[in-house]
Amino acid sequence: MNFRNYFLLILFCLPCIVQAKNITISRLTCEMQEGLVVVEGSPRLGWVMESPENGTRQSAYEIDIREAFTGRSVWNSGKVYSTQSQLVSIEGADIRPDNQFNYSWRVRVWDETDAPSEWSREAKFRSASSRLSEGKWIGAITRQNAHLPEGRKFHGGELKKPEVKAAWEAVDTLAKKSICLRRTFQVGDRTEGNTNRQSSKKIVEATAYVCGLGFYEFSLNGKKVGNSEFAPLWSDYDKTVYYNTYDVTEQLRHGENAVGILLGNGFYNVQGGRYRKLQISFGPPTLLFELVINYEDGTSTTLRSDNDWKYDFSPVTFNCIYGGEDYDARREQKGWNQVGFDDSHWRPVVIQEAPKGILRPQMAPPVKIMERYDIQKVTKLNAEQVASASKSTKRTVDPSAFVLDMGQNLAGFPEITVRGKRGQKVTLLVAEALTDEGACNQRQTGRQHYYEYTLKGEGDETWHPRFSYYGFRYIQVEGAVLKGQKNPQKLPVLKNIQSCFVFNSAKKVSTFESSNRIFNAAHRLIEKAVRSNMQSVFTDCPHREKLGWLEQVHLNGPGLLYNYDLTAYAPQIMQNMADAQHANGAMPTTAPEYVVFEGPGMDAFAESPEWGGSLVIFPFMYYETYGDDSLIKKYYPNMRRYVDYLKTRAEMGILSFGLGDWYDYGDFRAGFSRNTPVPLVATAHYYMTVMYLIKAAKMVGNDFDIHYYTSLAHEILASFNKCFLNKETAQYGTGSQCSNALPLFLQMTQDSDEQGSYQPDAKLDEKVLMNLIKDVEAHGNRLTTGDVGNRYLIQTLARNGQHELIYKMFNHEEAPGYGFQLKFGATTLTEQWDPRQGSSWNHFMMGQIDEWFFNSLVGIRPSTTYQKFIIAPQPVGDLKYVKASYETLYGTIVVDWTSQNGTFTLNISVPVNTTAVVYLPGEKEPKEIQSGTYQLVCAR
């Protein structure tokens, strides 16, 4: 497409005058997080600025830090001449690791005319407590007395072995029961003189640290604290244990208070009982608790978990992260978590073994109920359908069964409001698909998973599961009727039912809309699938596995980083990966590694370079997005150990193990790579990780490693081209799309000179690219790549200007393509391009098109200076407009372009203290734009 620039129109550009530009500081962050942030060591601070005028930038700043309550000055930077407004170091500040008080800080800035802003509002952070580990872990039974099996091999056929069944059946049943724990305590009273007269002390700060494993619900004086679900975020509990921090100053009252904790199993204690992907136990449910209360007079009190607490069984009679949950409301004890409750019949807690993992503050956002969906359609199953469904689903379907279509596939659970008689039961079976009879079908997603609620018979009762979730669109209700329906059997009446969409509350930072219906809907499909699988970790699916398969982290990494604030979520992913790394440097395919894949045919699932490579690749994606190199520096030893391990597996520079281009496309049911040789894909990723490691070595200043791994990279490159390149045909491997896209993407299209040194070969590069394009065209402008190859195919074509071809590849309603899934009726991205082939209907591994939407159609790309952005939109096909926004650390970039009647119009908004390098379509020379709002126009 040819464009000729004929004029540039800049709106709102005012002449520079020497006065304050009305800079306001709108957002304060500590370690890129808002709110009360818990930090380890000296944190980095940041702020976002706004101004009504174009061209505004920061020339200096001043930071002031104080102890929040005492007002003690901790640090003042003085006026620092710098444009830096993110990741600002406060090294040298008197930040004390065990300070019991919060720190408050504020900042002011000067603009380019040296005019100062007003001081910002105050923000707070707090040092992580090192005393928390001194507390006691409490519960109902010790691991030793529970007789829990050791190991991570209980998966698949292993679970069917008689000796394994016997070992798990021998576990004390107390070890998997949900329990309630409580403790009362006094706040703010003191005795004056020799009298019994009490006077109140004012609370200035109260902070609770809670770690309830597997999951917990925390309440003070009868009210739940926070709104998280499935807290804390799960981890490898032998390596890391996360705890949560709460400011409970406002929840406490003078005099007697009561704390209550409800515990469930989570991934800490998977003992099965219904459907289970695996079984593993780090111990029975357990609690570590600390409450620090600071008073105005400078004194403080601390309440910890110890043997003064009591416990009893909760109304949650069954809970498993895989199998579902049962709740008997008759077992509720009214007021159990409040003052005045008679707990004389409760049991004293047992002091338990502490988990082996290091206690760390949870930095990533919590999982919450983020959206709710109402009934879209009701279908009552007749007697014939009930009988048939009982056979097809391998469970007895109750004659009262009806099925609700909630309209959206999602991860979460139902919530009901029901009225009925004491002891009546309502069963909720959830699924993302239906059987031929119209019943909920869990055959592909793990059965049986269901929820059962037993009524207490006291008016309207509202309930949802607390410790389990599933991927579903449909809800099969048994043992109840909907409000307004005939009820001859006097069953409980459902007055309301909703689907609760539960996912990680990491902020969404982008919007995308275009004139293309399929692209808009595909973006929504991907978003719903990502959110369904954005839990404690990025899972593959929210039902049958719930495991953190690692290839998605980097293969979808750019799209994820465009759409979500991963400033805190990503470091926790890296911690999980580091915890999963084996002693010999190997990286498993999942993190946390709850199961070790062993046995015939399982080796590829245990280790695969395209999966393990996330350990090395993802920190660079994080760095390129946020300008934060801390993950690269922190995990450099892990990266090096992994590359060294791969070297031990390579033969003459070639790796020959792994899953390859998993789920590639053809006239076959997707699964193991069939179009592209596994060694080609594995070796290409081996080379990629080595090249990233060289960059990392330069960043940490390790000259020996730079030389050593540069030599290794040359060896791999030579072996790769010798083994896989046909010089006569300029084809790699089988000539498949993945075979050619990978070496093009990684710039491995090189040839050796007379000295045997490999150099870029422009002619070879061009020939391989033409072969790639011809193959796409030969398949009717369709892809043949899979989970791994998709990103490299799309981005290789994009980097070589083949946007029109990419548009053709996805602007249709056939398989492979997003349009076919939409036509099928999918509401989340499915595992296979053709959902009829079965498998999961809620995967995001094929969602790589989102990266192209933002870095090409919208055209927003970060540059290496991090306060400068590239905006290079690509109008292709019959697109008439694209509207998008992207919230960076510095503020929001807005891009809104139209292409109509021979004119291309670009409206952009650039954050304060940044610049944008703008490439108009067809132009070679960019225009550098300062902060503000502009309109640029060119002719087609």
Side-chain angles (χ1 to χ4, degrees):
M1 185 180 295
N2 294 318
F3 291 86
R4 180 175 60 85
N5 181 39
Y6 67 89
F7 69 93
L8 169 65
L9 176 63
I10 302 181
L11 299 179
F12 313 120
C13 187
L14 301 178
C16 180
I17 53 178
V18 182
Q19 65 177 37
K21 288 199 171 183
N22 298 317
I23 292 180
T24 56
I25 299 172
S26 59
R27 183 173 181 253
L28 297 179
T29 59
C30 175
E31 288 300 317
M32 299 179 280
Q33 306 305 302
E34 292 185 274
L36 177 62
V37 181
V38 180
V39 300
E40 296 178 291
S42 182
R44 299 164 298 174
L45 306 180
W47 51 92
V48 174
M49 295 166 283
E50 295 179 357
S51 171
E53 301 183 34
N54 284 8
T56 305
R57 63 183 184 275
Q58 173 188 300
S59 63
Y61 66 82
E62 180 182 4
I63 297 172
D64 181 64
I65 306 176
R66 297 181 180 275
E67 214 168 54
F69 166 61
T70 67
R72 178 180 67 88
S73 178
V74 172
W75 190 67
N76 186 283
S77 67
K79 186 176 182 180
V80 178
Y81 287 92
S82 171
T83 62
Q84 186 178 4
S85 58
Q86 290 294 333
L87 301 170
V88 177
S89 172
I90 57 169
E91 198 69 41
D94 185 18
I95 306 299
R96 300 171 184 175
D98 283 317
N99 191 350
Q100 61 186 5
F101 294 109
N102 294 330
Y103 294 99
S104 66
W105 70 280
R106 60 179 183 164
V107 64
R108 62 174 174 168
V109 301
W110 285 259
D111 67 13
E112 71 280 4
T113 69
D114 204 34
S117 72
E118 297 290 334
W119 281 100
S120 70
R121 63 172 177 82
E122 289 189 340
K124 294 182 179 180
F125 63 88
R126 186 178 186 88
S127 291
S129 173
S130 63
R131 298 187 302 271
L132 185 59
S133 60
E134 298 172 5
K136 303 295 185 182
W137 291 86
I138 59 175
I141 187 172
T142 65
R143 178 176 185 121
Q144 182 179 3
N145 290 339
H147 307 296
L148 289 159
E150 298 276 355
R152 307 189 185 201
K153 62 181 181 178
F154 304 112
H155 166 268
E158 185 75 14
L159 291 169
K160 299 178 182 179
K161 294 180 178 179
E163 64 272 23
V164 172
K165 286 184 176 182
W168 283 98
E169 288 172 357
V171 174
D172 192 309
T173 57
L174 183 55
K176 64 179 178 180
K177 290 185 181 295
S178 170
I179 59 173
C180 296
L181 302 102
R182 65 174 264 113
R183 175 82 153 82
T184 57
F185 58 98
Q186 292 289 327
V187 169
D189 291 336
R190 65 169 178 248
T191 302
E192 292 189 343
N194 296 323
T195 69
N196 292 324
R197 181 165 160 248
Q198 302 285 311
S199 66
S200 181
K201 297 195 297 183
K202 183 179 179 182
I203 303 169
V204 293
E205 290 176 351
T207 307
Y209 304 95
V210 187
C211 181
L213 302 176
F215 297 140
Y216 71 88
E217 187 172 286
F218 168 36
S219 59
L220 268 177
N221 298 320
K223 294 184 179 179
K224 180 178 176 179
V225 178
N227 54 1
S228 62
E229 305 289 334
F230 312 134
L233 301 188
W234 62 64
S235 60
D236 182 335
Y237 305 99
D238 282 346
K239 302 291 183 62
T240 292
V241 178
Y242 295 114
Y243 66 86
N244 302 108
T245 305
Y246 301 93
D247 182 344
V248 295
T249 309
E250 300 301 319
Q251 284 91 336
L252 293 179
R253 60 194 182 201
H254 291 282
E256 192 172 18
N257 289 255
V259 58
I261 305 286
L262 173 67
L263 289 182
N265 292 313
F267 263 113
Y268 185 74
N269 187 36
V270 186
Q271 294 193 40
R274 293 174 187 162
Y275 168 71
R276 76 271 196 244
K277 168 71 176 179
L278 54 91
Q279 289 183 204
I280 184 174
S281 181
F282 297 87
T286 187
L287 170 68
L288 182 67
F289 182 89
E290 181 178 281
L291 172 62
V292 180
I293 307 171
N294 295 320
Y295 298 105
E296 191 175 36
D297 64 0
T299 63
S300 67
T301 59
T302 301
L303 174 73
R304 290 192 174 95
S305 47
D306 55 25
N307 52 15
D308 289 332
W309 289 57
K310 290 185 174 183
Y311 85 90
D312 203 355
F313 300 116
S314 88
V316 180
T317 57
F318 173 84
N319 73 103
C320 177
I321 192 69
Y322 285 112
E325 193 164 327
D326 295 344
Y327 188 93
D328 189 342
R330 296 171 301 179
R331 298 179 59 172
E332 292 178 352
Q333 300 182 54
K334 189 174 182 179
W336 72 272
N337 52 3
Q338 298 180 42
V339 172
F341 176 76
D342 180 8
D343 62 6
S344 59
H345 62 287
W346 282 40
R347 304 160 177 82
V349 296
V350 172
I351 303 300
Q352 299 171 307
E353 305 94 334
K356 298 176 184 177
I358 297 171
L359 276 169
R360 305 182 195 274
Q362 177 183 305
M363 298 297 291
V367 170
K368 300 179 182 180
I369 298 174
M370 300 297 291
E371 298 175 11
R372 291 173 179 267
Y373 291 84
D374 295 316
I375 300 170
Q376 300 299 306
K377 182 182 177 182
V378 182
T379 303
K380 179 70 175 75
L381 300 182
N382 60 38
E384 183 180 345
Q385 290 170 324
V386 167
S388 179
S390 295
K391 295 179 180 178
S392 64
T393 62
K394 295 186 177 181
R395 66 176 293 273
T396 300
V397 178
D398 191 86
S400 64
F402 59 91
V403 177
L404 306 176
D405 182 352
M406 308 303 286
Q408 175 63 54
N409 198 1
L410 51 78
F413 41 67
E415 181 179 86
I416 60 173
T417 297
V418 62
R419 179 184 284 260
K421 296 178 181 179
R422 183 177 180 85
Q424 290 183 307
K425 294 182 180 180
V426 179
T427 301
L428 306 171
L429 190 81
V430 290
E432 64 178 14
L434 298 176
T435 66
D436 292 340
E437 303 85 10
C440 279
N441 185 3
Q442 297 178 340
R443 186 176 65 86
Q444 294 285 350
T445 54
R447 60 189 183 193
Q448 305 293 329
H449 180 107
Y450 59 87
Y451 311 107
E452 186 176 87
Y453 181 79
T454 303
L455 282 74
K456 58 187 171 185
E458 299 178 8
D460 291 351
E461 304 176 37
T462 299
W463 173 81
H464 67 67
R466 288 175 170 85
F467 303 130
S468 188
Y469 75 98
Y470 203 72
F472 70 98
R473 171 176 173 171
Y474 305 98
I475 306 172
Q476 184 170 309
V477 181
E478 299 178 4
V481 299
L482 284 174
K483 182 181 179 181
Q485 299 297 309
K486 294 180 180 180
N487 191 9
Q489 295 177 291
K490 305 299 181 182
L491 296 174
V493 177
L494 275 184
K495 301 185 75 173
N496 191 41
I497 183 167
Q498 291 182 312
S499 288
C500 298
F501 196 174
V502 181
F503 54 81
N504 193 280
S505 57
K507 183 180 179 181
K508 193 172 191 305
V509 295
S510 68
T511 61
F512 173 82
E513 180 188 343
S514 75
S515 59
N516 187 286
R517 175 187 60 83
I518 292 176
F519 288 1
N520 294 340
H523 179 66
R524 288 194 298 271
L525 283 183
I526 296 166
E527 178 187 349
K528 297 303 184 186
V530 168
R531 282 308 210 181
S532 293
N533 289 287
M534 195 173 180
Q535 301 293 328
S536 292
V537 299
F538 281 120
T539 62
D540 63 325
C541 60
H543 27 60
R544 69 168 187 250
E545 295 203 32
K546 297 185 174 81
L547 297 179
W549 291 90
L550 293 175
E551 92 290 3
Q552 299 176 122
V553 173
H554 76 92
L555 292 169
N556 285 281
L560 297 172
L561 289 160
Y562 271 120
N563 282 292
Y564 309 103
D565 178 358
L566 301 186
T567 50
Y569 192 86
Q572 199 150 303
I573 292 172
M574 288 302 301
Q575 182 66 61
N576 287 335
M577 283 196 269
D579 289 346
Q581 189 172 23
H582 294 184
N584 63 356
M587 268 303 298
T589 50
T590 62
E593 190 184 24
Y594 292 133
V595 60
V596 177
F597 294 106
E598 296 177 331
M602 299 304 293
D603 288 348
F605 292 102
E607 288 182 46
S608 190
E610 307 82 9
W611 276 245
S614 282
L615 177 71
V616 182
I617 301 166
F618 188 60
F620 280 90
M621 292 179 170
Y622 183 84
Y623 170 62
E624 290 160 4
T625 302
Y626 302 120
D628 181 7
D629 62 3
S630 61
L631 298 184
I632 295 172
K633 292 179 177 178
K634 180 177 180 179
Y635 295 105
Y636 179 77
N638 301 81
M639 298 179 188
R640 181 172 56 189
R641 285 174 51 222
Y642 180 55
V643 169
D644 289 347
Y645 167 76
L646 292 180
K647 188 174 185 295
T648 67
R649 296 290 306 270
E651 296 184 13
M652 301 297 291
I654 301 297
L655 282 184
S656 300
F657 70 95
L659 294 166
D661 190 17
W662 176 251
Y663 263 59
D664 53 359
Y665 188 79
D667 57 353
F668 45 81
R669 180 166 178 167
F672 286 97
S673 179
R674 295 176 66 170
N675 297 326
T676 307
V678 167
L680 185 151
V681 182
T683 306
H685 281 78
Y686 178 28
Y687 178 78
M688 187 192 309
T689 56
V690 172
M691 294 301 292
Y692 273 120
L693 186 63
I694 294 167
K695 290 183 180 180
K698 293 176 181 177
M699 295 170 73
V700 301
N702 191 322
D703 292 335
F704 176 84
D705 282 2
I706 294 170
H707 176 78
Y708 176 81
Y709 292 108
T710 298
S711 177
L712 177 60
H714 289 159
E715 292 176 15
I716 299 169
L717 180 63
S719 296
F720 183 87
N721 281 287
K722 181 179 179 181
C723 185
F724 301 115
L725 174 62
N726 184 322
K727 292 186 177 181
E728 293 183 2
T729 62
Q731 297 275 20
Y732 280 89
T734 58
S736 68
Q737 292 170 18
C738 182
S739 292
N740 284 327
L742 262 171
L744 285 168
F745 180 88
L746 296 173
Q747 299 177 320
M748 300 177 78
T749 47
Q750 302 186 28
D751 202 359
S752 58
D753 56 24
E754 294 179 357
Q755 287 76 37
S757 176
Y758 273 78
Q759 300 293 332
D761 187 333
K763 290 184 178 179
L764 174 62
D765 194 84
E766 183 179 355
K767 290 178 181 178
V768 177
L769 176 62
M770 289 308 300
N771 282 334
L772 176 62
I773 293 170
K774 288 177 181 177
D775 190 85
V776 173
E777 292 173 342
H779 285 88
N781 296 324
R782 302 292 185 266
L783 58 79
T784 63
T785 48
D787 178 19
V788 176
N790 286 342
R791 179 179 185 236
Y792 304 116
L793 171 63
I794 296 169
Q795 289 305 307
T796 296
L797 293 174
R799 293 178 184 186
N800 286 278
Q802 296 297 316
H803 299 286
E804 293 290 344
L805 181 56
I806 299 172
Y807 188 80
K808 293 175 183 176
M809 287 168 59
F810 295 105
N811 185 33
H812 59 82
E813 294 185 332
E814 301 170 2
Y818 304 100
F820 184 83
Q821 297 190 22
L822 294 164
K823 187 170 65 173
F824 177 77
T827 60
T828 49
L829 191 61
T830 66
E831 187 177 16
Q832 298 217 25
W833 285 116
D834 185 346
R836 298 170 302 183
Q837 295 295 322
S839 302
S840 164
W841 289 354
N842 199 341
H843 260 65
F844 74 96
M845 68 181 187
M846 299 295 191
Q848 295 91 345
I849 194 68
D850 247 4
E851 180 181 2
W852 182 69
F853 287 162
F854 281 94
N855 73 6
S856 295
L857 295 189
V858 180
I860 299 175
R861 304 169 203 162
S863 72
T864 54
T865 61
Y866 307 107
Q867 284 177 256
K868 182 177 287 187
F869 303 93
I870 295 171
I871 298 178
Q874 298 290 335
V876 295
D878 57 358
L879 280 178
K880 292 181 173 58
Y881 72 86
V882 167
K883 300 177 182 179
S885 64
Y886 172 48
E887 185 178 332
T888 74
L889 293 181
Y890 302 91
T892 302
I893 301 173
V894 178
V895 174
D896 180 351
W897 63 256
T898 60
S899 180
Q900 293 180 337
N901 302 321
T903 301
F904 180 84
T905 304
L906 174 64
N907 293 294
I908 59 173
S909 181
V910 182
V912 170
N913 208 34
T914 69
T915 58
V917 179
V918 182
Y919 291 83
L920 290 174
E923 287 193 347
K924 293 182 179 179
E925 295 300 321
K927 295 172 175 60
E928 188 163 302
I929 305 298
Q930 300 299 314
S931 67
T933 303
Y934 304 88
Q935 185 179 85
L936 291 81
V937 183
C938 66
R940 298 186 62 171

